[in-house]
Amino acid sequence: MSRPNHNGKTGVPRALATLTDRLAAHAEGAWVTDTAGRTYLDFATGIGTLATGHRHPKVLAAVRRQLDRLVHTCYSVMPYESYQELVGRLIDLTPGSFPKRGLLLNSGAEAVENALKIARAATGRPAVLCFEGAFHGRTLLALGLTSKTSTYKRGFGPYPGEIYRVPYPYCYRCPVGREPATCSVDCRRLLEEALATHVDGRALAAVLIEPQLGEGGGAVAPFPFLQAIRELCDRTGAVMVVDEVQTGFGRTGSLFAVEQAGVEPDLMVMAKSLASGFPISAVVGRAELFDGIQVGGLGGTYGGNPVSCAAALATLEVIVGQRLPERARRLGAVMRRRMQLWQERYPEYLGDLRGLGAMLALEVVSDRQTRRPLPALARAWSQACLDEGLLLLTAGVHGNVVRVLIPLIISDADLNEGLERMERALETAVASLARVEETT
């Protein structure tokens, strides 16, 4: 998703990329309508923010009730119950049987930065270990942790120090040369090598990881790798921070992806689908990590806004009450079967199919053997989807991954219709690529 917005008349800078210049006018459930009256099935969901779909009636009702009572005081000025109720609910839902605290903020990047502030303050250490392919946000510390130079980082340095990066356990492009079929998670040794070559374990404040890459292209960390991070943090006294900004709240087939690995992180950051499109994020984790921080060391003017808290509480009620994580597993199985047929039809172009639950990604390559990225075909596929009336995003460090972020409330009929449109768009994109290759 790197198409520049060139409409200078709007005053919006070209640096703010858009999938399309078409303007959204209305949305409901799994559908979006533009100002020209054209309709689109939404397989992008605001970059994964709408697990409950657009304008869920229970969320809207909760927001309307809140608007009639209280819009803003700033929690630091005069607290309110919904902030406390949401923190309590998140404490109950997140993994870990230990005492917890929770902090509400505005965005995923803000949550990441605060989690690392907390880890550094609690440990008295400076260093953070993170991973290639990661996306943790566009603010300065978060950008230093993010791994994509061409789109996100160019021109914005210098970046904060004491950030050390190691390869993500990207099985399709294994950093230690293994094949997925014979993987023995040898990449775990990269963690130990990092302590030997990059950062002393006694200086390590935190290890930060996405259990499944979002913007990085959908690669899934093997569960033994996540368990190895837990073991490393226990041994060194570092804080294990899991970024569930995009994976959280059901999309991967469990409420949080890390639960599938049987791992309890020390801190978890979350945002996106927490409030059905209303701006809110959270850091939740071990009480002792929060409790030593001085009064005033955490906070923010809009963090945990009452309207967003109301939306989040209603969203959690829908996700848990309607068992959307279970539905994500079923929807993911349907999509995976269909995509495997596309792989059989286009073996030269469709490489790895990966993901947990309904958070699936297809890597587009020019050749199955060399696995050379083919971003031109991924972009053409996304644009052809737009013409078919389907919103679909690309991802990956090289922009060669097509990712699917469906609303989990989508009907079976609409899911099938979306997959039909996606398949027709793939046919169009491949035919277009073939014509280009014939003329060059």
Side-chain angles (χ1 to χ4, degrees), residues 15-212:
L16 183 58
T18 60
L19 175 66
T20 173
D21 286 337
R22 305 174 192 184
L23 302 178
H26 178 76
E28 197 81 32
W31 292 87
V32 178
T33 304
D34 70 15
T35 52
R38 293 170 294 204
T39 58
Y40 307 82
L41 272 167
D42 192 354
F43 277 22
T45 56
I47 318 182
T49 62
L50 299 166
T52 59
H54 292 275
R55 303 179 69 250
H56 193 286
K58 286 190 176 180
V59 176
L60 291 185
V63 167
R64 290 183 182 116
R65 288 193 298 271
Q66 184 61 49
L67 288 171
D68 287 336
R69 293 198 297 265
L70 178 69
V71 172
H72 179 69
T73 63
C74 180
Y75 188 82
S76 296
V77 175
M78 190 171 192
Y80 37 90
E81 290 180 338
S82 59
Y83 188 114
Q84 297 170 352
E85 185 181 353
L86 179 56
V87 166
R89 189 77 176 109
L90 292 173
I91 284 172
D92 290 341
L93 292 173
T94 49
S97 55
F98 39 78
K100 298 176 194 166
R101 301 279 186 267
L103 171 69
L104 301 182
L105 303 148
N106 300 292
S107 69
E110 194 176 350
V112 167
E113 296 220 5
N114 275 272
L116 296 184
K117 280 174 56 178
I118 293 163
R120 284 173 163 170
T123 62
R125 302 171 178 182
V128 177
L129 200 64
C130 61
F131 293 88
E132 300 289 357
F135 180 86
H136 296 294
R138 290 182 173 93
T139 52
L140 192 60
L141 176 57
L143 197 57
L145 299 158
T146 288
S147 180
K148 190 171 181 179
T149 301
S150 61
T151 304
Y152 301 121
K153 303 184 75 166
R154 188 173 63 229
F156 297 128
Y159 299 105
E162 293 293 344
I163 293 172
Y164 301 91
R165 199 180 312 280
V166 296
Y168 191 85
Y170 190 159
C171 294
Y172 185 60
R173 302 181 185 277
C174 178
V176 295
R178 286 279 188 174
E179 290 294 326
T182 59
C183 175
S184 58
V185 201
D186 289 345
C187 55
R188 284 176 294 191
R189 74 169 187 261
L190 298 174
L191 298 170
E192 301 300 331
E193 289 178 6
L195 297 187
T197 60
H198 295 308
V199 57
D200 187 334
R202 291 168 295 184
L204 186 61
V207 181
L208 171 66
I209 190 167
E210 296 168 273
Q212 178 177 342

Side-chain angles (χ1 to χ4, degrees), residues 345-368:
R345 183 175 175 186
Y346 300 106
E348 69 274 37
Y349 295 128
L350 299 185
D352 195 29
L353 168 59
R354 54 183 176 253
L356 299 171
M359 188 172 168
L360 298 183
L362 269 165
E363 184 153 353
V364 181
V365 295
S366 61
D367 178 86
R368 274 274 185 95

